[in-house]
Amino acid sequence: MANYNPYDNVLTVMNEAAEILGYSDNDIASLKHPERELKVSFPVVMDDGTTKVFEGFRVQHSTVRGPAKGGVRFHYAVNHDEVKALAAWMTFKCAVVDIPYGGGKGGVICNPSKLSERELHEITKQFTIAIAPLIGPEKDIPAPDVGSTPAMMGWMMDTYSMLQGHTVRGVVTGKPVEIGGSLGRTEATGRGVMFSTNNVLDKLGIDRKGTTVAIQGMGNVGSISASLLYQEGMKVVAVSNSSGGVYNKDGLNIPAIIDYLSDRKNLLSEYNEEGLVHISNEELLELDVKVLIPAALENQINESNADRIKASVIIEAANGPTTAEADEILASKGVVLVPDILANAGGVVVSYFEWVQNLQCISWTEEDVNTKLKNIMDPAFDAVWDISKENNVSLRTGAYLIAIKRVVEAKKLRGL
Ligand code: GLU
């Protein structure tokens, strides 16, 4: 695959939306550059007694609408441009659902699947110490992302708290519930994907019962999305993860697959059920399904495969799964795409709820959290849908019209 720089995608769509909004280059100049970036390296003693130096990043793209907010990615291929793009997407994601945050993101170059729990704990602790001057409940609030877990968020919260000399729950979201995490946070991104899917199918007049869907990625977001859409009566015919994919034209047994994958030693490429065939990740993207949900990494749908995509609806559960070139190809084919900054915003919305609960020392019921999430996601979807129709642009551009306007107007009102 060509070497795409995801930050170029951010700039392309930002420029397009700013032009429609009538903003000058001056209005959006600062948005093209992250406000603050930190690159860190730190030593960790590994289980075999050797000392290894790890590298990481924390990028604060914008704090115009509130503290920087966004996850920390633990992945062997994470890099500076990727974290920059992910941080910018957080700014626009928080703006499109109108929660009082800017955008940030972190990354640690490591392969969590090859590390012991002790090594992972140590890496998380040392990374937190290294970025501690930047973070805080009023400054920048990390959360889980690809390769990071609630347990790791607990360790981050603990490390930051030790440095402060008292417990600071609101410094990190996505924590275990017992130490200040919110009920419903683990499922929140997938639940938001489900709301987005239902909303777009309703607008298009497509009955969700029996509608075929393929999902790339069976991490937290992909598996919860698969499970909720399965419960909604959709026919999930294909799922995949880094080990490969599985396809069943009659619909997969999603609860059985999730149960199978709950043992982390089990490989999806070795899973079997009647009528199932094994496929590659590339083949999954090109299946003849109604709905395609990329829920893995960036740049999966690009100029080399976009014209072979057969789905008529795409829900971007991952951040940045579609390149700007692919966007154009898909639009010319009439594909309706719900963009990442809207489709996967459920996670950060419930992170916001977690932070609000932490700051007030209260806890909401799961039902309350899920209802509040829906009450944010559904109107945000309608607003993006309406503005896209009014301007005759894609849902992605529509989402950016709303987001960029909110950020630029906040900047102007603050006199920045
Ligand atoms: N990593 C998630 C995202 O990309 C969640 C971020 C958060 O909760 O702050 O939206």
Side-chain angles (χ1 to χ4, degrees):
M1 202 188 1
N3 220 356
Y4 298 99
N5 180 344
Y7 202 69
D8 291 341
N9 285 339
V10 178
L11 296 176
T12 305
V13 60
M14 212 193 282
N15 284 332
E16 191 189 339
E19 200 183 315
I20 299 173
L21 288 164
Y23 286 138
S24 67
D25 286 347
N26 289 343
D27 289 326
I28 60 158
S30 63
L31 276 180
K32 295 186 176 175
H33 304 272
E35 275 175 27
R36 195 176 277 125
E37 304 180 74
L38 182 65
K39 177 172 178 292
V40 298
S41 3
F42 49 88
V44 170
V45 180
M46 308 303 283
D47 287 351
D48 65 4
T50 59
T51 296
K52 225 176 134 186
V53 175
F54 289 85
E55 281 188 352
F57 315 90
R58 184 74 190 171
V59 174
Q60 296 174 351
H61 173 259
S62 169
T63 56
V64 170
R65 300 184 72 254
K69 184 81 191 82
V72 183
R73 181 165 293 198
F74 285 66
H75 194 267
Y76 59 87
V78 76
N79 61 68
H80 179 216
D81 278 326
E82 183 183 18
V83 176
K84 254 170 77 178
L86 289 162
W89 284 322
M90 287 310 302
T91 302
F92 301 124
K93 192 183 300 189
C94 294
V96 85
V97 290
D98 207 6
I99 55 176
Y101 289 137
K105 202 83 173 197
V108 178
I109 306 172
C110 68
N111 186 348
S113 67
K114 299 234 150 61
L115 296 163
S116 71
E117 174 155 320
R118 191 204 64 83
E119 289 169 337
L120 210 48
H121 185 179
E122 201 54 30
I123 292 171
T124 307
K125 238 166 79 180
Q126 295 306 327
F127 177 66
T128 308
I129 292 169
I131 65 164
L134 250 57
I135 62 175
E138 271 129 25
K139 289 157 65 178
D140 181 354
I141 305 131
D145 195 73
V146 174
S148 47
T149 61
M152 289 156 75
M153 297 306 109
W155 300 334
M156 285 190 85
M157 188 273 271
D158 176 71
T159 307
Y160 183 82
S161 296
M162 292 299 136
L163 293 170
Q164 300 299 311
H166 58 99
T167 298
V168 187
R169 288 184 159 195
V171 64
V172 173
T173 59
K175 302 178 290 293
V177 172
E178 296 81 352
I179 49 172
S182 176
L183 292 167
R185 174 62 185 87
T186 305
E187 298 79 17
T189 313
R191 188 170 295 279
V193 168
M194 186 258 282
F195 292 146
S196 301
T197 310
N198 288 346
N199 284 330
V200 75
L201 293 181
D202 286 351
K203 292 279 186 203
L204 297 171
I206 301 170
D207 184 3
R208 65 192 77 128
K209 293 270 173 294
T211 292
T212 51
V213 51
I215 302 178
Q216 184 201 36
M218 279 297 268
N220 168 275
V221 180
S223 61
I224 305 278
S225 303
S227 159
L228 293 175
L229 293 173
Y230 176 89
Q231 285 168 34
E232 289 286 291
M234 290 185 75
K235 196 198 274 184
V236 186
V237 292
V239 297
S240 68
N241 66 15
S242 53
S243 85
V246 290
Y247 170 72
N248 188 338
K249 67 173 179 15
D250 298 322
L252 293 162
N253 184 346
I254 294 299
I257 295 178
I258 289 174
D259 186 49
Y260 171 82
L261 290 177
S262 66
D263 182 341
R264 288 188 47 194
K265 288 194 294 298
N266 285 342
L267 295 176
L268 188 57
S269 55
E270 288 167 6
Y271 174 80
N272 236 319
E273 63 183 43
E274 210 188 309
L276 174 147
V277 285
H278 290 273
I279 56 171
S280 66
N281 264 288
E282 292 73 30
E283 287 169 326
L284 179 138
L285 295 173
E286 298 171 19
L287 284 174
D288 190 3
V289 287
K290 191 77 188 170
V291 179
L292 174 64
I293 305 189
L297 295 171
E298 300 91 71
N299 303 332
Q300 299 300 300
I301 305 174
N302 50 62
E303 61 192 342
S304 70
N305 63 359
D307 59 348
R308 293 195 301 277
I309 301 284
K310 295 180 197 71
S312 47
V313 177
I314 296 179
I315 316 285
E316 291 189 322
N319 290 310
T322 314
T323 65
E325 294 79 12
D327 253 351
E328 275 184 33
I329 299 170
L330 295 172
S332 71
K333 288 164 41 131
V335 176
V336 177
L337 181 150
V338 185
D340 47 7
I341 61 167
L342 174 64
N344 72 31
V348 74
V349 169
V350 177
S351 275
Y352 163 57
F353 296 162
E354 180 171 328
W355 179 76
V356 168
Q357 291 169 82
N358 291 160
L359 297 185
Q360 299 182 64
C361 304
I362 51 169
S363 56
W364 302 343
T365 64
E366 188 162 356
E367 199 191 339
D368 208 6
V369 168
N370 292 345
T371 307
K372 284 184 162 79
L373 172 62
K374 187 166 165 53
N375 289 343
I376 289 189
M377 294 298 287
D378 288 356
F381 182 90
D382 285 341
V384 169
W385 182 270
D386 291 347
I387 202 169
S388 305
K389 296 292 152 219
E390 278 157 28
N391 290 277
N392 196 22
V393 293
S394 67
L395 294 176
R396 188 185 315 281
T397 306
Y400 276 83
L401 290 177
I402 293 176
I404 291 192
K405 188 162 184 205
R406 287 198 174 130
V407 180
V408 171
E409 293 309 313
K411 187 168 70 82
K412 287 186 177 167
L413 288 165
R414 289 181 63 161
L416 295 170

